[in-house]
Amino acid sequence: MNTLKFSIVLLFLLTFMGCHVGRLTSAMAAPDSTDPVAERMLLYQRSNGGWPQDDGDDVAYDEALTEAQRAAVLADKSQDDTTFDDESTTREITYLLGAHQRTDNPAYLKAASMGIDFILSAQYANGGFPQEYPDTSGYHGHITYNDNVTIDLLTLLRKVSEGKAEYAALPATQREAAGRAVENGINSILATQYVHAGKLTAWGAQHDRNTLAPAPARAFEPVSLSGKESVEIVRFLMEVPQPGEDIREAVRAAVEWLDAVRIDGYRQDRIEAPDQPTGRDRIIVADSSSTIWGRFYEIGTWRPIFIGRDGIIKYELKDIENERRTGYGFYGHWAKDLIKKEYPSWEERIAG
């Protein structure tokens, strides 16, 4: 009798413990949670692995979608409207990798990995990247530095290749491919640095994918060298741990050019202007304590240039229409810290 009772109790305990362990194991195997922003990124991801913009703006992933909106996004899944403009695609990949690290949700890692493959497939054989892919028609197909497109992509790929933190979850083969893409991208940067009168200078906002020469984009983005995008290119090159002589030469030449084209003694102010179409304006004011740089420099003369939607080059900001004066950044302090702080520190680092 006692033996029977013991057997029944033992059977009960084993059954209870088995069920409990089974539930615990299932809970451990399942993702900890989902992330609503990441879930919307999965929804917007196109079949080719990249992401679109929302009519030229960032997609508002923090906003909930109605069922009708969800259906509309899903209906566009196969569209080839994917882009790298304004951190599109790199933003989503970065977020999804972080979300995967927080939640252990495999769907986020899979989507991020697919996005990285999409970036790798978009790189030209010469190492450059277009603004959009697979639609490389018109200026979208230029090697694009404008708004830091290429630098954003290469920065992401560099992190992938290093495989630290959330990037460690990516496949080793993908990390290796990213490393090769970074090297190829650096070669493209060096090849597109503009040579004037036998001397290296800086970069345009975009370069022809075949000739590698500076190229135009929209009507108000002419052939020129950039006082903005060139700064981020130099910063990227300075992050190379052990730069070769070609990178050192490129950095030094670009910094020399940026220092030569600086505009001392002026600043740009934003003001209220009720008499103007936009109700505001941008003006240049004398200020002995300020140094600024032009967004676009005319090749050869190195004069800052300003262009409205008519495509006509002007030499003073006030001479283009109010909408472009206020709607586009023609002046900035972009190279200030680079020249005064970052470049000298870089020279000290590589000398050591």
Side-chain angles (χ1 to χ4, degrees):
M1 186 68 178
N2 290 337
T3 302
L4 179 61
K5 287 181 177 179
F6 176 78
S7 298
I8 292 172
V9 171
L10 181 61
L11 180 62
F12 173 78
L13 288 173
L14 289 172
T15 301
F16 173 79
M17 290 176 65
C19 292
H20 181 71
V21 171
R23 288 195 297 270
L24 180 60
T25 302
S26 298
M28 291 175 64
D32 294 339
S33 64
T34 57
D35 180 310
V37 170
E39 290 295 315
R40 293 183 198 110
M41 287 181 174
L42 297 186
L43 186 68
Y44 274 92
Q45 187 175 28
R46 298 309 197 215
S47 300
N48 62 19
W51 279 266
Q53 289 184 314
D54 182 10
D55 291 328
D57 295 321
D58 296 342
V59 175
Y61 293 114
D62 56 341
E63 296 179 4
L65 298 175
T66 65
E67 286 303 315
Q69 288 172 324
R70 287 178 60 85
V73 173
L74 285 171
D76 287 338
K77 201 75 171 173
S78 62
Q79 292 293 315
D80 287 333
D81 55 353
T82 39
T83 180
F84 303 125
D85 194 26
D86 295 327
E87 299 183 353
S88 295
T89 299
T90 55
R91 175 193 303 107
E92 287 84 354
I93 291 170
T94 301
Y95 189 92
L96 286 167
L97 287 172
H100 171 258
Q101 188 177 49
R102 294 189 300 273
T103 67
D104 199 31
N105 191 323
Y108 303 157
L109 178 62
K110 181 180 179 181
S113 182
M114 186 178 174
I116 293 166
D117 281 341
F118 171 74
I119 291 173
L120 293 172
S121 70
Q123 188 175 34
Y124 294 138
N126 61 22
F129 284 96
Q131 182 192 53
E132 296 185 0
Y133 186 79
D135 178 12
T136 57
S137 61
Y139 69 84
H140 302 301
H142 290 324
I143 294 173
T144 304
Y145 299 121
N146 191 35
D147 293 330
N148 304 320
V149 164
T150 291
I151 299 307
D152 286 342
L153 292 167
L154 290 176
T155 298
L156 173 68
L157 292 174
R158 178 183 277 167
K159 292 177 180 177
V160 171
S161 69
E162 292 170 347
K164 297 177 182 178
E166 62 264 38
Y167 298 90
L170 293 163
T173 54
Q174 191 170 56
R175 298 200 303 269
E176 292 166 3
R180 292 191 295 271
V182 171
E183 290 301 317
N184 203 16
I186 290 174
N187 290 337
S188 176
I189 289 173
L190 298 178
T192 51
Q193 188 171 16
Y194 188 72
V195 179
H196 179 71
K199 187 175 182 179
L200 286 171
T201 57
W203 293 266
Q206 49 276 318
H207 288 248
D208 186 279
R209 68 179 112 172
N210 297 312
T211 68
L212 306 186
R218 293 171 289 188
F220 48 89
E221 296 169 328
V223 171
S224 59
L225 294 193
S226 172
K228 179 186 178 185
E229 279 75 15
S230 293
V231 172
E232 293 308 315
I233 295 171
V234 171
R235 284 182 171 138
F236 178 81
L237 292 177
M238 291 197 305
E239 290 174 355
V240 174
Q242 297 178 319
E245 191 55 40
D246 52 354
I247 293 178
R248 297 180 187 211
E249 183 182 9
V251 168
R252 288 165 179 155
V255 169
E256 182 181 350
W257 182 84
L258 286 164
D259 193 41
V261 300
R262 73 181 191 270
I263 304 164
D264 293 325
Y266 292 92
R267 72 172 192 269
Q268 178 180 244
D269 283 354
R270 296 184 181 186
I271 63 171
E272 296 297 318
D275 60 325
Q276 293 293 327
T278 64
R280 57 190 189 280
D281 211 343
R282 283 176 173 167
I283 59 173
I284 301 304
V285 179
D287 182 345
S288 61
S289 67
S290 176
T291 297
I292 56 178
W293 280 263
R295 178 73 173 268
F296 301 126
Y297 285 89
E298 186 175 56
I299 291 177
T301 69
W302 309 138
R303 296 172 66 185
I305 53 177
F306 312 90
I307 313 91
R309 293 191 181 276
D310 59 6
I312 299 174
I313 291 175
K314 305 291 178 61
Y315 294 97
E316 292 191 49
L317 182 62
K318 66 181 179 60
D319 290 336
I320 63 172
E321 68 267 27
N322 174 255
E323 182 270 334
R324 284 295 79 195
R325 286 200 304 271
T326 59
Y328 200 83
F330 285 102
Y331 279 119
H333 298 283
W334 301 300
K336 179 181 177 181
D337 288 343
L338 173 71
I339 293 173
K340 287 190 174 181
K341 301 175 183 178
E342 297 163 32
Y343 172 68
S345 295
W346 176 79
E347 286 285 11
E348 289 180 12
R349 176 177 72 80
I350 63 173

